[in-house]
Each structure stands twice: as structure tokens, then as C-alpha cells.
């Protein structure tokens, strides 16, 4: 539960902030030219590469762990949103405009619904990546937490507990993925139906 709470805070912030940032970058070439290199730099870094810096900045408590999970989750959501915006055909936008839609209506009635399946895919990848990153996040002072328990049991050579942690991590990942897929089927039932 402690690990899920950390993921809820870190990946949750990425899920809230990522789509608006991705939408802004997807609709503005100038903004994308400035911001995307930094985003790709962050995406390329492994979480273990900057966890030490986060601990120096935010301490060994939950704040550094939440920041790590946010930084691991944010790029996939933004990049998926950008891809979704770029994937909307110009014909759809032009058709809406020719029918008298203003800019706001084009965004809310064409761009957002067409982009939503890609955003949900990015969220699915981001939450999965955050869940695998939880072990790195909980290397220091990770108890309570499944990643910290797995690390501690490995250090103590407790094979049974280590296997139990691995199974719990895997089953939780499957449950999270199924939940996100279920939400996606409800909020974007048109996915895959051209």
C-alpha cells in the first residue's frame, strides 16, 4: 500500500500535468522546438542516474521517491500526447472548420477525443514504468514499501520473502494495467473504431 501511495502521488501528478503539456507541445511547433530536447534528455536518463541528486535535494523521505516516480512517468505521458495530437488527420480538423466550428470546438470536439486513446496508452506505459521504478525509489528508507522489502530481503538472502515480493510486484502490475485498460474502455470506447 505504501508503494501504491507513492505511485499514486508521483505518477498521478504526471497523469494530471503530462497531457496539457503534451497538448501544448503538440499544437505549437515553436514551443516543441524549445522543450522537446529537454524532455527527451529526461526520458533517456535511467531513474537510478538521478536518484542520488533527488535525495540530496529532498532528503531520504517520501518526497524524493515521489519526485523520482514523477520524473519517470512524465515523459511517456507527454510524448504519447504529442503523438496523439500529431496523429489527428488534417481532414478531420478542416471538416470541422468547414462546418463552422470555432477553435475551441475543434479542440474539444475533434482534437481531444482523437488524442485520448494515445494519452491513455501513454498513461499505461507511464504507470508501468513507475511501478518498475518503485524498487529504485525505495532503495533508501523504503520500508514500508514493496520495493524496499524486496531489496532488504535480497540483502538478507531470504529467498522465500524475495520471491513473495517479486510475485506481489508482478500481480500488482497486472492489476494496475487491467484497471487502466478498463478505464480506457469506458472513457474512450471509440478506440480502434475508425
Amino acid at each position: 500500500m505504501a508503494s501504491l501511495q507513492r505511485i499514486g502521488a508521483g505518477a498521478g501528478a504526471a497523469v494530471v500535468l503530462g497531457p496539457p503539456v503534451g497538448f501544448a507541445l503538440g499544437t505549437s511547433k515553436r514551443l516543441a522546438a524549445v522543450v522537446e530536447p529537454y524532455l527527451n534528455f529526461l526520458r533517456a536518463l535511467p531513474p537510478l542516474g538521478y536518484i542520488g541528486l533527488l535525495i540530496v535535494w529532498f532528503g531520504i523521505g517520501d518526497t524524493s521517491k515521489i519526485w523520482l516516480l514523477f520524473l519517470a512517468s512524465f515523459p511517456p505521458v507527454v510524448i504519447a500526447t504529442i503523438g496523439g495530437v500529431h496523429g489527428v488527420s488534417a481532414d478531420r480538423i478542416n471538416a470541422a472548420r468547414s462546418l463552422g466550428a470555432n477553435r475551441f470546438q475543434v479542440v474539444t470536439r475533434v482534437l481531444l477525443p482523437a488524442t485520448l486513446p494515445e494519452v491513455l496508452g501513454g498513461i499505461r506505459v507511464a504507470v508501468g514504468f513507475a511501478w518498475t521504478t518503485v524498487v529504485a525509489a525505495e532503495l533508501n528508507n523504503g520500508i514500508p514499501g514493496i520495493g524496499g522489502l524486496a531489496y532488504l530481503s535480497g540483502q538478507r538472502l531470504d529467498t522465500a520473502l524475495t520471491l513473495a515480493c517479486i510475485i506481489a510486484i508482478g500481480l500488482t502490475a497486472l492489476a494496475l494495467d487491467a484497471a487502466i485498460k478498463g478505464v480506457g474502455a469506458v472513457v474512450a470506447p471509440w478506440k480502434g473504431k475508425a
Side-chain angles (χ1 to χ4, degrees):
M1 288 307 295
S3 298
L4 286 173
Q5 287 172 348
R6 291 174 183 135
I7 293 232
V15 166
V16 169
L17 298 174
V21 171
F23 203 83
L25 295 176
T27 55
S28 171
K29 290 182 181 179
R30 289 181 185 174
L31 187 60
V34 173
V35 176
E36 272 195 70
Y38 298 104
L39 184 68
N40 287 321
F41 177 80
L42 178 62
R43 182 176 58 91
L45 290 175
L48 283 175
Y50 49 83
I51 189 167
L53 184 62
L54 293 173
I55 289 171
V56 169
W57 284 349
F58 301 110
I60 203 166
D62 274 357
T63 305
S64 60
K65 296 170 182 59
I66 290 167
W67 268 105
L68 180 73
L69 295 170
F70 170 76
L71 293 173
S73 307
F74 186 69
V77 177
V78 175
I79 289 168
T81 305
I82 293 169
V85 171
H86 289 168
V88 178
S89 74
D91 291 342
R92 284 186 181 186
I93 295 169
N94 292 334
R97 285 182 179 154
S98 69
L99 292 171
N102 59 31
R103 182 170 172 75
F104 179 77
Q105 290 171 324
V106 168
V107 168
T108 58
R109 303 282 175 94
V110 178
L111 282 177
L112 286 179
T115 304
L116 189 57
E118 292 294 326
V119 173
L120 291 169
I123 290 170
R124 191 173 165 200
V125 170
V127 170
F129 190 53
W131 186 245
T132 60
T133 306
V134 80
V135 176
E138 294 176 348
L139 285 176
N140 294 300
N141 193 30
I143 300 292
I146 192 69
L149 186 60
Y151 178 70
L152 189 63
S153 64
Q155 281 191 323
R156 293 181 179 172
L157 304 177
D158 187 343
T159 304
L161 184 56
T162 303
L163 286 173
C165 289
I166 290 169
I167 291 168
I169 289 169
L171 291 176
T172 305
L174 290 174
L176 285 170
D177 191 60
I180 294 169
K181 282 173 71 175
V183 169
V186 171
V187 300
W190 57 87
K191 182 179 179 181
K193 298 173 185 174

